[in-house]
């Protein structure tokens, strides 16, 4: 009985956590404090309207750029997804989602800043530097790999027999794409575009650092400036939050419904070589080219942007006391966020898997709900509700962890649900029929499937949390007792034009983030080995039945 | 049967059939050698244990598998180096390979559509088959609403309306129960009686042979298993 009650309780708890900040925002909107500037008046402010229009405009243009690059690349790269290198390609293309905005912005300065490589070579007009163009180019390029990943995953999941049947019936490559691939890609493309749109609309660091200030100002940067930079303007900030929610709500809700429907649909993705009459050398060359494209889109620009001088300064900085404090604090925040977000996701996954069919979509829906809110919306909401216990100017890092964890749930859930939500029941039965306990069957059948996905999703999330500027800067009062988190330190360096130093620190951050992938993978492999061994040992000793 | 010419024999040469000459297919660890001639009206069963290369042979004839040497001729034309989509042959796959994103009707007229046949013409050509195969009223349905037998019929009509020069069937009866299997075989034989195209089919079930096959080819393996030969009728 206890087991049955446990899951609905957690689902209710999660819903309550999500409701709290919205309650705070709504209360602020409804209650007038007697001042001249209420939320209602702020909502009629033409300046805020123009910021909202600009947010929509830049997000839409960014999406167009990302789609124009990502869709053709995804289609082209999809054949590589039918090979044994699939996992590598997936990691490469998923990485930019985990690369913190700060790293991306810094790399973009090295490419498209006043002294950037492209600018010096005359390939990026100087009048475009620190403008809407730079913001759109970076948003587009940064998100193209995600669209390419989704397109390639879907395209490669179409069974080869279906493609062959179309060929036998006389369909050429173009007809096959138009009539068979496109209808299947449609759903995937729809929600990948939606995600990119949401990310671009709520983008903070890139707009802040690369936009060059107003008029390149989005609702997200406006919220920040109204509560952190200028004189406190709660009504203005809350009005921006409402408009931000309006911008994201309609496509967001439509997308979430679309998404869980797509998730429930099973798709086969058996990796196999594409039958081709071409020789092995042609296939290898093609695979090599695809790999280079994936590396370029997924990772290379961020590394190419760093020069040797930055590396030297990074090494010098790493030895300092300031570095040790900053590193320790950032690692604490990232590990804390990963643990909390991982636990929340694990409970939600468990609930979604165990609840009957009708309730399952609801759990999926609320698990993915935070994907259309931003750190500032949550931060401001919590602040308005819990101002007695939290002061954003007093370095309450527990709130940073809570907000990062809540925002991490949709990412982790999305990554893990396709694997966790489709258990290999037949294989589990088969293992149990062969004498394995349910526990042992899990480690033999399910864990090998989960391991890679858990390591990748966890690593990418950890990387993102390590370099997230929005949540830490919202709660940073400049006096973190144990140091300054790395992203705040980097943003300070950039604002003081210490670009080499900033890049050096970012190099450390990138190295930490990427190594977390390997470390997590190793830890999970070890867990997969040691747990069944331990269980067997206990069984042999008669301590476990 | 007024549409017999339109949906059946028109455009097909009754001479020649399928001829496979000295075909060699290299697979990891073994080589498949083939010499066979299937004449119009013949229904040749390919027999052999699992993994011996029967399906590979069908796929090679369809152009879906690279061949090392030899010739595949359809109605006298050498199609060895022709891409699959231009060979004009019919394949019914083991798992049917229907297109789930398309409706029943769109699945049925797919082959005609890719050949540029107008919508009106497509409807005209398909109507008698839809009626005859008991799919009337299900044209707009999604594939998920069809039973196993109906799906099998969709796969067959889809192939048949393109007037293939040869019919390749990869274990077409394996997923059907005894009643559906007998129905489907009868349906196929009715079609072939009026329009005798050469048929090459893969089977594991010897009970199908008496009822459906006119000839059979069994694989012969060398003692070390490195060479597997399919030699003619």
């Amino acid at each position: 009985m206890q087991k049955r009650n446990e899951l609905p309780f957690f689902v209710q708890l999660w819903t309550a956590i999500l409701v709290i900040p919205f309650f705070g925002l709504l209360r602020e909107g409804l209650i007038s404090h007697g001042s001249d500037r209420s939320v209602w008046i702020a909502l009629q402010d033409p300046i805020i309207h123009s910021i909202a229009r600009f947010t929509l405009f830049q997000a839409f243009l960014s999406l167009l750029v990302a789609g124009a690059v990502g869709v053709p690349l995804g289609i082209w790269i999809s054949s590589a997804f039918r090979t044994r290198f699939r996992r590598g390609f997936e990691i490469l293309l998923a990485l930019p989602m985990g690369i913190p905005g700060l790293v991306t912005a810094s790399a973009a300065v090295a490419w498209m800043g006043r002294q950037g490589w492209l600018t010096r070579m005359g390939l990026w007009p100087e009048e475009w530097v620190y403008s809407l163009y730079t913001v759109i180019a970076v948003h587009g390029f940064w998100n193209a790999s995600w669209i390419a990943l989704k397109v390639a995953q879907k395209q490669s999941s179409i069974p080869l027999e279906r493609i062959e049947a179309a060929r036998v019936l006389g369909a050429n490559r173009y007809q096959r794409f138009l009539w068979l691939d496109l209808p299947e890609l449609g759903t995937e493309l729809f929600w990948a575009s939606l995600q990119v749109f949401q990310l671009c609309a709520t983008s903070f660091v890139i707009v802040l650092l690369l936009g060059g200030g107003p008029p390149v100002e989005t609702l997200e940067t406006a919220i920040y400036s109204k509560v952190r930079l200028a004189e406190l303007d709660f009504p203005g900030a809350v009005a921006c939050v409402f408009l931000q929610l309006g911008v994201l709500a309609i496509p967001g809700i439509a997308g979430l419904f679309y998404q869980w429907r797509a998730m429930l649909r099973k798709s086969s993705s058996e990796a196999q070589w594409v039958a081709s009459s071409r020789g092995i050398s042609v296939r290898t060359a093609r695979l090599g080219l695809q790999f280079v494209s994936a590396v370029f889109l997924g990772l290379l620009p961020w590394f190419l942007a760093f020069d040797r001088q930055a590396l030297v300064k990074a090494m010098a900085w790493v030895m300092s006391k300031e570095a040790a404090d900053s590193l320790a604090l950032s690692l604490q925040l990232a590990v804390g966020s990963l643990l909390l977000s991982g636990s929340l996701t694990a409970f939600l996954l468990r609930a979604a898997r165990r609840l009957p069919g009708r309730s399952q979509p609801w759990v999926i829906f609320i698990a993915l709900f935070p994907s259309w809110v931003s750190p500032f919306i949550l931060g401001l909401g919590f602040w308005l509700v819990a101002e007695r216990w939290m002061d954003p100017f007093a370095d309450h890092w527990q709130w940073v962890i809570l907000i990062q964890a809540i925002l991490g749930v949709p990412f982790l859930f999305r990554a893990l649900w396709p694997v966790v939500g489709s258990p290999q029941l037949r294989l589990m039965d088969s293992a149990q029929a062969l004498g394995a306990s349910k526990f042992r069957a899990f480690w033999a059948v399910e864990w090998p499937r989960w391991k890679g996905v858990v390591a990748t999703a966890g690593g990418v999330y950890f990387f993102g949390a390590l370099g997230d500027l929005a949540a830490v800067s919202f709660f940073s009062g400049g006096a973190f007792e144990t140091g300054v988190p790395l992203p705040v330190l980097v943003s300070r360096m950039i604002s003081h034009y210490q670009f080499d130093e900033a890049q050096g620190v970012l190099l450390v951050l990138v190295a930490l983030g990427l190594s977390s992938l390997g470390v997590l993978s190793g830890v999970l492999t070890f867990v997969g080995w040691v747990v069944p061994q331990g269980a067997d040992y206990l069984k042999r000793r008669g301590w476990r039945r | 049967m007024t549409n017999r010419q339109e949906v059946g024999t028109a455009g097909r040469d009754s001479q020649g059939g399928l001829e496979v000459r000295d075909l060699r297919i290299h697979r990891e660890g073994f080589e498949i050698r083939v010499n066979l001639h299937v004449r119009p009206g013949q229904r040749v069963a390919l027999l052999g244990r699992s993994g011996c290369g029967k399906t590979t042979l069908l796929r090679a004839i369809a152009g879906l598998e690279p061949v090392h040497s030899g010739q595949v001729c359809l109605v006298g034309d050498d199609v060895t180096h022709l891409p699959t989509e231009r060979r004009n042959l019919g394949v019914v796959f083991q798992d049917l390979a229907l297109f789930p994103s398309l409706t029943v009707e769109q699945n049925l007229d797919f082959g005609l559509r890719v050949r540029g046949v107008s919508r009106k013409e497509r409807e005209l050509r398909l109507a008698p088959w839809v009626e005859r195969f008991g799919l009337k009223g299900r044209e707009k349905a999604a594939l998920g609403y069809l039973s196993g037998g109906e799906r099998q019929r969709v796969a067959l009509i889809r192939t048949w309306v393109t007037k293939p020069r040869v019919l390749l069937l990869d274990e077409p009866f394996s997923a059907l129960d005894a009643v559906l299997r007998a129905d489907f075989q009868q349906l196929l034989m009715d079609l072939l009686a009026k329009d005798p195209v050469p048929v090459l089919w893969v089977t594991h079930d010897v009970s199908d042979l008496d009822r459906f096959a006119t000839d059979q080819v069994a694989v012969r393996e060398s003692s070390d298993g490195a060479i597997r030969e399919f030699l003619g009728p």
Side-chain angles (χ1 to χ4, degrees):
Chain A
M1 284 308 281
Q2 198 185 350
K3 220 174 199 179
R4 270 189 198 167
N5 291 332
E6 179 192 351
L7 298 175
F9 169 74
F10 181 76
V11 173
Q12 286 164 21
L13 183 72
W14 170 251
T15 312
I17 292 173
L18 293 181
V19 166
I20 289 168
F22 286 96
F23 170 75
L25 291 164
L26 202 63
R27 193 186 61 177
E28 183 68 22
L30 293 175
I31 294 173
S32 168
H33 296 291
S35 63
D36 292 342
R37 189 166 166 77
S38 68
V39 173
W40 177 242
I41 291 169
L43 272 170
Q44 296 168 47
D45 187 342
I47 296 173
I48 292 183
H49 289 178
S50 72
I51 294 173
R53 276 198 300 275
F54 179 80
T55 305
L56 271 173
F57 178 66
Q58 74 83 16
F60 184 69
L61 279 185
S62 302
L63 172 62
L64 280 184
V65 174
V69 178
V71 173
L73 192 87
I75 290 166
W76 184 64
I77 236 165
S78 65
S79 63
F81 274 55
R82 290 188 192 266
T83 69
R84 73 194 74 156
F85 307 110
R86 179 190 177 115
R87 192 97 209 111
F89 276 91
E90 280 180 330
I91 291 172
L92 269 177
L93 290 176
L95 261 178
M97 289 302 271
I99 289 179
L102 200 58
V103 179
T104 304
S106 168
V109 169
W111 286 94
M112 293 177 280
R114 295 216 187 285
Q115 296 301 315
W117 293 5
L118 291 178
T119 317
R120 274 181 298 181
M121 284 155 66
L123 296 172
W124 190 253
E126 220 164 306
E127 59 271 23
W128 286 9
V129 173
Y130 299 112
S131 71
L132 173 67
Y133 298 106
T134 311
V135 171
I136 286 169
V138 174
H139 275 165
F141 192 81
W142 191 28
N143 290 299
S145 67
W146 184 249
I147 291 187
L149 172 70
K150 290 292 149 195
V151 167
Q153 277 177 333
K154 189 67 198 172
Q155 177 96 347
S156 63
S157 75
I158 298 172
L160 282 179
E161 291 79 11
R162 226 178 275 163
I163 298 166
E164 288 171 348
R167 287 185 67 193
V168 168
L169 288 165
N172 59 31
R173 187 183 291 257
Y174 168 74
Q175 290 167 324
R176 290 198 300 269
F177 176 72
L178 198 67
W179 289 326
L180 297 182
D181 299 353
L182 209 55
E184 300 222 12
L185 284 179
T187 309
E188 204 71 22
L189 210 52
F190 171 79
W191 75 262
S193 305
L194 211 70
Q195 271 180 295
V196 169
F197 179 84
Q198 287 169 340
L199 283 171
C200 296
T202 56
S203 167
F204 169 65
V205 187
I206 289 171
V207 177
L208 195 71
L209 294 182
L210 302 177
V216 182
E217 188 177 25
T218 59
L219 289 166
E220 195 71 359
T221 54
I223 297 169
Y224 179 72
S225 66
K226 284 179 193 306
V227 293
R228 297 293 313 199
L229 293 183
E231 204 174 310
L232 271 182
D233 177 12
F234 271 132
V238 175
C240 287
V241 167
F242 285 162
L243 287 174
Q244 173 95 303
L245 290 172
V247 165
L248 299 174
I250 298 163
I253 290 170
L256 287 170
F257 272 113
Y258 219 79
Q259 188 172 344
W260 62 250
R261 268 181 52 196
M263 276 178 158
L264 292 175
R265 221 178 289 152
K266 303 277 183 290
S267 66
S268 66
S269 59
E270 201 179 327
Q272 48 185 299
W273 282 96
V274 181
S276 162
S277 53
R278 291 177 192 170
I280 186 85
S281 54
V282 175
R283 286 197 306 230
T284 312
R286 186 190 165 110
L287 189 69
L289 264 178
Q290 287 168 331
F291 181 74
V292 169
S293 312
V295 168
F296 185 74
L297 199 65
L299 207 58
L300 216 56
W302 285 269
F303 282 111
L304 281 182
F306 299 120
D307 58 23
R308 200 190 300 165
Q309 211 176 4
L311 190 66
V312 173
K313 289 193 177 173
M315 294 320 292
W317 178 81
V318 163
M319 309 307 285
S320 68
K321 164 90 171 61
E322 183 193 27
D325 290 345
S326 283
L327 273 175
L329 179 62
S330 283
L331 281 172
Q332 276 176 38
L333 293 178
V335 170
S337 303
L338 178 64
L339 291 177
L340 184 58
S341 197
S343 309
L344 291 170
T345 309
F347 276 114
L348 286 165
L349 285 167
R350 193 158 172 256
R353 213 166 97 138
R354 290 192 169 195
L355 282 176
R358 260 187 209 173
S359 313
Q360 197 179 54
W362 165 244
V363 179
I364 294 173
F365 179 80
I366 60 160
L368 299 180
F369 182 83
S371 62
W372 63 278
V373 293
S374 68
F376 293 147
I377 292 178
L378 283 182
L380 188 59
F382 278 120
W383 182 5
L384 290 169
V385 171
E387 52 192 325
R388 194 179 297 173
W389 304 284
M390 96 191 252
D391 177 2
F393 299 94
D395 300 338
H396 284 170
W397 56 264
Q398 297 89 335
W399 291 99
V400 175
I401 290 179
L402 178 68
I403 285 170
Q404 283 187 344
I406 292 174
L407 293 172
V409 167
F411 172 76
L412 293 176
F413 192 94
R414 224 175 247 137
L416 299 176
W417 178 245
V419 182
V420 177
S422 56
Q424 303 287 296
L425 296 176
R426 210 164 49 84
L427 294 181
M428 287 286 283
D429 290 346
S430 160
Q432 284 177 265
L434 289 166
S437 65
K438 210 170 178 184
F439 178 77
R440 198 70 172 82
F442 168 82
W443 290 98
V445 174
E446 293 287 26
W447 184 247
R449 293 171 59 233
W450 291 22
K451 194 181 65 182
V453 185
V454 172
T456 309
V460 169
Y461 172 74
F462 180 82
F463 193 5
L466 197 63
D468 174 61
L469 179 65
V472 287
S473 61
F474 192 84
F475 288 96
S476 161
F480 272 84
E481 284 171 18
T482 49
V484 180
L486 286 180
V488 176
L489 188 71
V490 172
S491 74
R492 280 182 194 171
M493 286 171 167
I494 290 175
S495 63
H496 291 111
Y497 302 104
Q498 295 171 301
F499 291 114
D500 282 346
E501 286 82 351
Q503 285 199 349
V505 179
L506 285 173
L507 257 183
V508 175
L509 196 141
V510 169
L512 271 175
L514 288 179
S515 57
S516 69
L517 274 172
V519 170
L520 256 177
S521 186
V523 167
L524 294 179
T525 306
F526 180 71
V527 167
W529 177 78
V530 84
V531 171
Q533 297 287 333
D536 288 350
Y537 176 77
L538 293 178
K539 201 175 174 183
R540 278 201 301 275
R541 298 294 297 259
W543 293 341
R544 187 175 169 275
R545 278 200 304 156
Chain B
M1 292 298 105
T2 48
N3 287 322
R4 190 71 220 103
Q5 279 300 105
E6 285 163 6
V7 296
T9 52
R12 260 185 217 135
D13 189 338
S14 60
Q15 298 300 311
L18 164 70
E19 211 173 341
V20 183
R21 294 186 203 127
D22 302 323
L23 196 73
R24 289 181 181 209
I25 307 159
H26 287 177
R27 304 291 286 173
E28 204 176 318
F30 64 92
E31 182 186 87
I32 301 169
R33 295 178 182 176
V34 193
N35 262 301
L36 49 87
H37 187 178
V38 188
R39 291 179 179 77
Q42 267 187 312
R43 300 187 293 273
V44 177
L46 288 175
L47 297 167
R49 62 174 176 84
S50 291
C52 73
K54 303 185 295 292
T55 298
T56 307
L57 169 57
L58 283 199
R59 290 171 56 81
I61 292 170
L64 296 168
E65 203 74 42
V67 298
H68 185 248
S69 61
Q71 269 188 324
V72 177
C73 297
L74 289 178
V75 202
D77 299 334
D78 182 357
V79 296
T80 320
H81 302 292
L82 220 54
T84 303
E85 48 269 37
R86 289 173 55 198
R87 293 192 182 197
N88 195 21
L89 37 72
V91 182
V92 176
F93 291 85
Q94 190 175 3
D95 67 351
L96 306 181
L98 296 175
F99 308 128
S101 55
L102 307 183
T103 62
V104 171
E105 186 183 42
Q106 286 167 333
N107 264 282
L108 290 173
D109 74 1
F110 185 88
L112 298 176
R113 197 150 38 122
V114 299
R115 284 169 171 76
V117 177
S118 71
R119 187 184 174 85
K120 206 173 169 185
E121 177 76 10
R122 293 200 308 260
E123 283 173 0
L124 210 64
R125 284 205 204 182
L126 277 172
W129 297 107
V130 170
E131 180 97 46
R132 185 172 165 194
F133 278 61
L135 292 168
K136 186 87 180 155
R138 319 292 299 267
E139 297 96 319
K140 305 288 178 202
L143 286 177
Y145 292 100
L146 299 189
S147 66
E150 286 171 326
R151 292 164 69 90
Q152 199 97 16
R153 278 177 265 161
V154 171
L156 182 62
I157 305 175
R158 182 179 75 169
T159 305
W160 193 256
V161 291
T162 60
K163 300 171 189 170
R165 297 191 286 186
V166 62
L167 199 55
L168 307 173
L169 309 172
D170 190 0
E171 299 197 44
F173 316 124
S174 62
L176 301 177
D177 62 37
V179 178
L180 281 177
R181 177 182 289 230
D183 273 358
F184 192 63
Q185 286 175 352
Q186 192 54 52
L187 217 55
L188 254 173
M189 284 196 288
D190 288 349
L191 289 177
L192 293 166
K194 288 166 188 154
D195 192 4
V197 293
V199 178
L200 191 61
W201 60 294
V202 168
T203 185
H204 270 114
D205 195 337
V206 284
S207 66
D208 289 334
L209 294 177
D210 293 340
R211 192 175 167 84
F212 191 67
T214 57
D215 297 273
Q216 46 184 282
V217 173
V219 66
R220 285 199 313 208
E221 290 191 39
S222 61
S223 54
D224 58 357
I227 296 170
R228 295 164 191 189
E229 277 186 303
F230 293 90
L231 294 179

